[in-house]
Amino acid sequence: VHCAAHKHVPLMEDSPAEAIKNNVTGTYNVIHSAGEHGVKRFVQLSTDKAVNPTNIMGASKRLTELIVQDYAKRNDMQCMTVRFGNVLGSYGSVIPLFESQIRSGGPVQVTDPEITRYFMTIPEAAQLVLQAGALGESGAIYVLDMGSPVKIMDLAEKLIRYYGYTPNEDMPIEIIGLRPGEKMYEELTLDEEEQSMMETSHNRIFRTQPLPIDDAAFPSKLDALMKAAAENDKNLLDMVCELVPNYCCTKRQPKAEEQD
């Protein structure tokens, strides 16, 4: 189960070559090593930020999905991707950050009053990832049911009240604006994937058919990208756009009504 990655969106915006070196080249190395050492099943953990990515972190994770898809076509090892949103209480998640800000007397910092995110707990995520991996159709992308997106402002206000304060009275909330590369709303599937979404034997795990990729061109373009990252090539982002076209041309924010 491969879950290691640089996940900090603004830091990766500052250092895109590092996002590719760690997330893309790292995944490439791990999946090839797993295949060479007789591993029977490989589960890649992806993120909702890989869908219509507006940041290099999301684009790098979309590339890891493509690596798994391409490897599954060419090898016998069962390879699959599990895509889901944020995990409450995990390292770097918003709740420990809010708690720290509350304990230090505030302010609690929210990027935007309308920003939303999908959340699940650590036990939920761990269990569903293992169950998705057990379903095991090679090359598939499994999408976890994350429920409805949560407004971060509501989360901050509830946490402030849990600690015995009143939001914006004895515990201020500060709106700090979106960070570089950050989206207002996350999505769990591409529009084209939505059409092929299928139920599985588990009621909270869905399978979507991966979009076709150019089997002949993908390996050479991927090799060139990994080499460019190692050399901190200034054309790196253009090369990412070739492999993940919607990273450059889709940078859209879903309308609020699309989330209803």
Side-chain angles (χ1 to χ4, degrees), residues 89-165:
S90 62
Y91 183 76
S93 84
V94 70
I95 286 186
L97 176 62
F98 284 168
E99 288 179 323
S100 173
Q101 291 172 346
I102 291 168
R103 285 194 293 266
S104 64
V108 174
Q109 296 179 323
V110 176
T111 54
D112 189 282
E114 299 302 316
I115 196 168
T116 63
R117 289 291 182 267
Y118 290 100
F119 287 103
M120 63 170 47
T121 65
I122 292 174
E124 279 182 305
Q127 184 180 53
L128 288 172
V129 163
L130 292 174
Q131 289 172 325
L135 294 172
E137 181 177 332
S138 194
I141 295 177
Y142 292 99
V143 180
L144 304 187
D145 178 7
M146 301 289 298
S148 300
V150 175
K151 189 176 282 191
I152 300 300
M153 179 63 82
D154 292 346
L155 190 62
E157 290 176 347
K158 287 177 181 176
L159 201 57
I160 288 169
R161 291 191 178 96
Y162 174 81
Y163 274 84
Y165 300 100

Side-chain angles (χ1 to χ4, degrees), residues 11 15 29 52 60-61 93 113 116 137 145 155 177 181 194 202-204 217 221 235 242 250:
L11 283 180
S15 307
N29 290 340
N52 296 320
S60 72
K61 293 298 285 183
S93 84
T116 63
E137 181 177 332
D145 178 7
L155 190 62
E194 190 70 36
H202 194 292
N203 64 355
R204 293 194 61 191
K221 287 184 177 180
N235 297 313
E242 270 197 72
T250 310

Side-chain angles (χ1 to χ4, degrees), residues 47 51 62 65 81-84 141-144 188-189 193:
T47 168
V51 178
R62 175 59 182 149
E65 296 181 352
T81 293
V82 183
R83 187 193 290 159
F84 57 105
I141 295 177
Y142 292 99
V143 180
L144 304 187
L188 286 167
T189 56
E193 291 175 337

Side-chain angles (χ1 to χ4, degrees), residues 7-258:
K7 301 182 180 74
H8 195 289
V9 169
L11 283 180
M12 294 304 97
E13 290 296 284
D14 285 340
S15 307
E18 294 305 314
I20 301 302
K21 288 176 195 174
N22 192 70
N23 297 358
V24 176
T25 306
T27 297
Y28 179 90
N29 290 340
V30 171
I31 196 169
H32 279 265
S33 181
E36 290 166 5
H37 289 83
V39 172
K40 292 184 171 60
R41 193 181 301 260
F42 182 93
V43 183
Q44 165 70 18
L45 269 58
S46 189
T47 168
D48 49 8
K49 292 175 177 62
V51 178
N52 296 320
T54 57
N55 51 67
I56 189 64
M57 195 285 277
S60 72
K61 293 298 285 183
R62 175 59 182 149
L63 282 165
T64 69
E65 296 181 352
L66 298 176
I67 289 170
V68 172
Q69 180 181 342
D70 181 70
Y71 191 91
K73 288 180 181 178
R74 304 173 191 272
N75 298 275
D76 294 332
M77 183 172 66
Q78 285 190 305
C79 313
M80 62 222 68
T81 293
V82 183
R83 187 193 290 159
F84 57 105
N86 297 278
V87 179
L88 286 169
S90 62
Y91 183 76
S93 84
V94 70
I95 286 186
L97 176 62
F98 284 168
E99 288 179 323
S100 173
Q101 291 172 346
I102 291 168
R103 285 194 293 266
S104 64
V108 174
Q109 296 179 323
V110 176
T111 54
D112 189 282
E114 299 302 316
I115 196 168
T116 63
R117 289 291 182 267
Y118 290 100
F119 287 103
M120 63 170 47
T121 65
I122 292 174
E124 279 182 305
Q127 184 180 53
L128 288 172
V129 163
L130 292 174
Q131 289 172 325
L135 294 172
E137 181 177 332
S138 194
I141 295 177
Y142 292 99
V143 180
L144 304 187
D145 178 7
M146 301 289 298
S148 300
V150 175
K151 189 176 282 191
I152 300 300
M153 179 63 82
D154 292 346
L155 190 62
E157 290 176 347
K158 287 177 181 176
L159 201 57
I160 288 169
R161 291 191 178 96
Y162 174 81
Y163 274 84
Y165 300 100
T166 301
N168 286 321
E169 289 186 14
D170 49 5
M171 182 58 62
I173 297 176
E174 179 185 7
I175 306 301
I176 61 173
L178 292 178
R179 302 174 301 171
E182 197 166 31
K183 295 171 76 171
M184 283 287 290
Y185 309 99
E186 298 290 4
E187 306 160 272
L188 286 167
T189 56
L190 294 161
D191 292 341
E192 302 92 329
E193 291 175 337
E194 190 70 36
Q195 299 166 12
S196 66
M197 188 73 74
M198 297 176 60
E199 294 181 349
T200 69
S201 56
H202 194 292
N203 64 355
R204 293 194 61 191
I205 302 172
F206 298 87
R207 179 175 63 81
T208 184
Q209 203 62 33
L211 303 183
I213 58 177
D214 188 336
D215 294 340
F218 180 76
S220 60
K221 287 184 177 180
L222 181 66
D223 284 344
L225 175 66
M226 292 189 294
K227 183 174 184 290
E231 297 172 353
N232 294 309
D233 192 308
K234 64 180 180 181
N235 297 313
L236 180 74
L237 293 182
D238 291 335
M239 299 172 77
V240 174
C241 288
E242 270 197 72
L243 287 161
V244 187
N246 58 351
Y247 168 53
C248 289
C249 67
T250 310
K251 292 187 180 180
R252 66 181 183 91
Q253 291 299 314
K255 296 175 184 176
E257 57 266 26
E258 291 179 328

